Amino acid sequence: MIDLISLIEEQIDLNTLEELKKAFLRADRDESGQLDLEEFKALLKARLNLRVTKEAQIEALFKKIDWSYNGGITWDEFCTYMQLEYAEKEDSYLRSKEVEFLLPAKITSPPHRDPILRMTSNTDGSFLACSQDGTVTFWGMSGNELKWKRKKEIVNTETMSRTKPKWITDFVIMPEYNKFIVGTGATNTDECIIVFGDSQGCINILVIKNPGESLRLWKKEKRHQGFIPSISLDQIIEKHRAMFIRWQVHKDWVQQLKYYHDIKMIISCSNDRDTALVKGCIMGSSHRSQEIAEYQQSMIRQQNAGKKDSKDPQDKAKLRQMLAVPKPRQSSDQAVFQVYKGVKCFDFCKDKNIIVTGGMDRIVRLWNPYVNLKPTAMLRGHNAPIFYLMIAKEENRIFSISTDRCIKIWDIQDHNCLMTVREKGHAIRGDIQACHYSIISKSLAIATDNMCLLQLRQKPTLHRDITVTHKEPVTCCKYNACFNYVITCSEGSVIKIWDFETGTAIFEYGEAHGDSAITCMTFDNTERRLITGARDGVLNIWNYNNGHCLRKLQKSKGNDEICDVVYVEMNKNRYIISVGWDKRINIYSDSQTDSNIHQVQHPNIVWADDLKNGHKEDILSIAQCQPNLLATAGYDGEIVVWNMVSGHIFCKLHGKSSVSKLVFMSERAYNKGAASLISNGPDGHILFWKVFEGGSLLADFPGTSTEGALISTMTINEANTMLCVADNLGFVFVYNVDGYALSGYEEEPPELVNTWRGHVDSISCIELVEKNKVIMTASIDCTVRLWNYEGNYIGTFGQPEQWDLYNTSTFCHPMVPYDVLIDPMSLPSHPVLKEGSKTDDLLEEIKKKEDETAKIQPAYTSYAKPQINIDDETIARDIKDLNGILKDTGLDEEQAKNYHGKWLRHEKTKIKKIDKGGPSDYQTLKWFKIVDPPNPDFPKVKFDKDDPFGSGMDPEMMTNSLKSFTNKQQAVS
C-alpha cells in the first residue's frame, strides 16, 4: 500500500494535476460524478502502469477513500484523501524530530577571573573550561545543573604579576597522554601533530615522533615567566627531532582550525572572503616539503654523530628562515571555499560527509567536502553573526549560536529549523565567551560572565534491549479485519496503524484529542471508521487511514472523562453509545446523511429510566449483545442490564466492589438458565452472571494466581468457549469455559488451559484474532505484543525485525520479552519455599525446647567444665526417640524417620543467600591512609662482644634463664 500511494504522489504536481483530473472524469463511464471500484482500478492501472498483482492494493485504497461506504468516490474525495494523508505523514515525520530544551538555563557563577576562551567535554559528559589567565575548571552534571568540581592554575599568578602578563589563546585536550595542549591530532601510535594558527593567516604544524617521551622531556624544561614548563620552537626542532611546517593559507588571522585524522587533512577558516575555509594536507607535494625533509634529515645526522646542538650558522639561518617566511601550498594540495564576509566557525563530519560553516553574514552553509564551488544548502534565520557550530551526527542535528545569544537546532537531512531559543526564553545574559555541546550528556554549556547550562528534554525511555510500541502508556488496541491492520492508542493522544502480519508501522498521527489521553476506541460496522473517546469527554470519528477527523461527538456541557464506547446497529439504525464519569448513557445517532457532518454533534436520545434509576457512580464499562441487550458497570460494583428497544432496565446485578470490565457470552445470551455475562470482581475474582429471572450469580472464582493481583481486562472468542483474562501485573490466563455455568451454580473454577507473563505492568487491553489463533495484549508499559494460543511470544509492534504470521521461524519464541525476563515477579516459585511454613514451625519448636532445657540446666562459669553423666542407654533412647519427634508429632517410628530425613534434606538444600550485585562488604569498608610512626627512642644497651645476638644480657644471667625455662618445660611434660 505504501508503494502504491508513493507512486501516485510522485506523479502528482501542479502540471499533472489538471491532466489527472481529466483522466478521472474520463474514467467515469456512467457519468455518475464518481468512480466505482472497477472504474477506479482502470484509472490507476492506466496512469501508473500497474500489474495485476496490485489489484488488492487498489481495492484497499478505494475502501480507505470511500469511508462512508457509498460504493464510489468523487474527485474531491480523492484529492482530500491524498492531501490529508500527505499532511499527516509530514506531521508524523516532524513529530519524530521534535527537540526541546529545559528552560530557562541553569546559571552558575564560575571561579574564573578572566574571560573563558574555550570549552570542551570529556568522555564522561563533564565539561572543561579554560580562561585567558590559565585557569582550568572542571564541571560535572548534578541533575540538570553544572557543578564546579575543581580548579587548576596552569600559570603561576604570583610570578606572572611581577612580569609581563601572558595570555592563553587556545587549548585542546590530548587524552592519549593526559595533557593540555594548544592543538593536536594523533597520526599514528608513535606520532602526533600539534597544529596552531596565528594572526598572519599561517597554519603551523609540528610533527612529533615518539610523543610520549617528548612530552615527558618537555615537562622537565624550565618555567618561563610563571608559566608551566615551556619550550621554544627551535629547541623542539633541534633537540626532539620534531618536523615543523608552516603554510601561508589565509589572508586574515585564523579564526578556527582542526586536524581530522579520518581524512588526514587540516581545515581552517578566516574572515577573508577569498580564503574563508581551506581544507589542506599536512606535508604537501611542493618543493617546500622537500626542503623540510632535507633539513630534518640533516638534524638527525648531526644528533647521531653526537652533536647535541647544531652550531652551523647556515643551519641556524635556514631554521630562522623556515620559521619566519612561510610559503603557500600548491593548489593541488588544498581546497578553498569562498564565502562572502568569510567564515568565523565551522564543523566537519565524515559520516554525514558535510562541512557546516557560519560567519558574519548570518547564514549557516552546508558543503560537500569535495565540492567547493557551491554549498549544498543555506540555512537562514539568525539575525547576528554566527559564533558557534556543532554537528551532532548521532542525533542528525546541527547546533548554531549567534552573538545575540540566539540558539537554533537544524535538521541535517531536511535542512529545516527544529527549534529556536532566544534570550527571553533561556535567560542567558552577557557576551558569549565560549560554548560547547556534549553529545553524552545532551546538554549545551555556554560561558558568559556566568556558566550556563541548557539541557535537552529527554523523553523517558526503557532499557535499550526493550522495544516499545508507543512512547507513552498504551491504553487500547484493536484488530481491523477490513484492512488487516492493528490500531493502537496511547496516553499521549497518538494513534498508530500497524501491519498485523509483519508488525511494521504504516501510519500515525498525534494530538488526536489535543493533550488528553485516549481511553477507549471501537470501529463502525464497516470497520472503515475509527471512533475514539478520551479524557476530554469528546468522541472523535476518524478516517484513520489518513488521520481525517470526520466528526466530533460531545455533550453540550459537563464533558467528563469517557471510559468506554460501543457501536450498535439495531433495526437498521446505527448508534454510538459512550459511558464515563458523568454517570449517564450517552447515545449518538450515526447517519451518513446527517446534515451536521464535520460539526459537533450532541446526544439525541435520552433514556428516562437512566435519569431516574440509572447509575449513581461513574460508569466504567459497557458491553452490548445482539439484538437488544446492553450492560453497564459502575464504580460501586452495580451492573445494570438494559433493554435498548425500550430504554428500560432489564435487571440489576450487585457486585462486591468496582467493576471495570464486562463481557457478554452472546452464544448463550438468551438461555434463561445459563450465565451470559462475565465481569471482574474484588481480589482478582471472575464472576459469571445470569441476566434473566431477575439476575443471579452462577460462578465466582479467583482469576489470578498471584496474591494482590486484580483483573484488568477480559475477552472471549466468538464460540464462547475460550476466555482470556489479564491482570494488573502483566499475566495472561486462558480458561476453557465451554459449558461452564450453563445450567446452575458452579463450585469449582473452569479449566485453566494456559498462563504466562506478557508484560511487566498492567495489561490495559486484550484482543483475540481467531483466524490466526493469535492473542494481542497492550499494556501501560508502552508495548503491544502478539502471542499464539500456547503463549509463545511472536513479537512486539515496533521491533526492528519483522515477523511473518505464516512462518513460525520468524517468531521471537522461544525467547521472551527482555523486560519480563529480568523482572523479579517473573521468577517461578520454588517447591522448597512452599514447604517453608512447616520448616519454620519445626525450627521454632526446636528452639523452644532448647530454651526450656537451658532454664533447667545449672549455669556454669567460664572457669568450670560441666559434668555430663550420660550412659549408653540414654544415648540409645534419644536416638530412637528422634529428638522427641515421636512424642511431639504423634507419628510412628517409620514416619518419624522420614520426617527427620526431610528436615535434614531441607537444611542441606535450602536456598542460600544470593549475591544480587552491588558493593561487597569488603568494598564498603572505610580506609585510612597509613602514616609512618615516629622513630622510637631505643634504650642504650651495653654491647657484650661474647653475646652473639647483641642482647646486652650478661652471659651468666642468660645461662641461668635457659636452665630455668628447661626445668619448667620438663615439669609440664
Side-chain angles (χ1 to χ4, degrees), residues 75 230 328 359 419 434 486 515 540 619 656 726 759 791 834 876:
W75 170 251
S230 305
M419 183 184 184
V486 169
D515 296 331
N540 284 343
I619 305 176
K656 298 177 183 180
H759 301 268
K834 293 181 180 179

Side-chain angles (χ1 to χ4, degrees), residues 603-756:
N604 53 354
I605 299 175
V606 179
W607 289 342
D609 210 3
D610 178 30
L611 297 176
K612 185 178 180 181
N613 302 313
H615 287 274
K616 302 299 186 290
E617 286 291 341
D618 301 340
I619 305 176
L620 305 181
S621 181
I622 186 171
Q624 185 257 343
C625 181
Q626 293 290 348
N628 63 346
L629 288 182
L630 186 77
T632 56
Y635 181 76
D636 56 358
E638 184 179 56
I639 301 173
V640 182
V641 182
W642 305 83
N643 185 328
M644 288 189 295
V645 176
S646 63
H648 290 96
I649 295 176
F650 187 75
C651 72
K652 280 190 177 185
L653 309 171
H654 298 281
K656 298 177 183 180
S657 65
S658 174
V659 177
S660 60
K661 187 63 180 179
L662 292 173
V663 174
F664 258 117
M665 303 179 74
S666 57
E667 290 297 313
R668 57 167 85 169
Y670 294 93
N671 184 340
K672 296 184 179 181
S676 58
L677 184 64
I678 308 173
S679 72
N680 60 345
D683 302 324
H685 279 231
I686 299 174
L687 286 68
F688 280 65
W689 302 89
K690 182 177 71 172
V691 299
F692 285 90
E693 299 175 353
S696 61
L697 181 66
L698 294 188
D700 182 359
F701 61 91
T704 66
S705 58
T706 306
E707 184 178 355
L710 301 176
I711 300 297
S712 58
T713 184
M714 298 181 296
T715 189
I716 197 167
N717 64 344
E718 292 183 1
N720 296 162
T721 59
M722 186 175 71
L723 176 67
C724 296
V725 178
D727 64 17
N728 62 347
L729 298 179
F731 286 89
V732 179
F733 304 87
V734 180
Y735 290 95
N736 179 13
V737 294
D738 187 15
Y740 186 76
L742 191 60
S743 58
Y745 188 82
E746 297 281 358
E747 297 286 347
E748 298 295 327
E751 177 192 0
L752 179 61
V753 178
N754 202 356
T755 181
W756 67 92

Side-chain angles (χ1 to χ4, degrees), residues 150-166:
R150 56 193 176 98
K151 178 179 73 170
K152 185 174 181 61
E153 301 284 351
I154 62 174
V155 176
N156 190 329
T157 55
E158 295 180 0
T159 307
M160 183 176 168
S161 62
R162 298 193 299 267
T163 60
K164 185 178 179 180
K166 297 286 186 179

Side-chain angles (χ1 to χ4, degrees), residues 470-510:
H470 283 262
K471 296 179 181 179
E472 309 87 9
V474 183
T475 54
C476 45
C477 65
K478 286 284 184 182
Y479 169 71
N480 184 279
C482 180
F483 299 107
N484 207 27
Y485 287 167
V486 169
I487 290 84
T488 61
C489 302
S490 74
E491 285 190 359
S493 200
V494 176
I495 300 174
K496 289 188 177 184
I497 296 95
W498 308 84
D499 184 3
F500 172 65
E501 295 182 351
T502 63
T504 56
I506 295 177
F507 186 63
E508 73 169 271
Y509 51 98

Side-chain angles (χ1 to χ4, degrees), residues 398-417:
I398 299 171
F399 291 78
S400 64
I401 304 177
S402 54
T403 55
D404 62 351
R405 297 176 293 281
C406 176
I407 303 168
K408 287 183 176 289
I409 304 177
W410 312 82
D411 183 79
I412 293 178
Q413 183 178 354
D414 299 332
H415 304 154
N416 59 335
C417 183

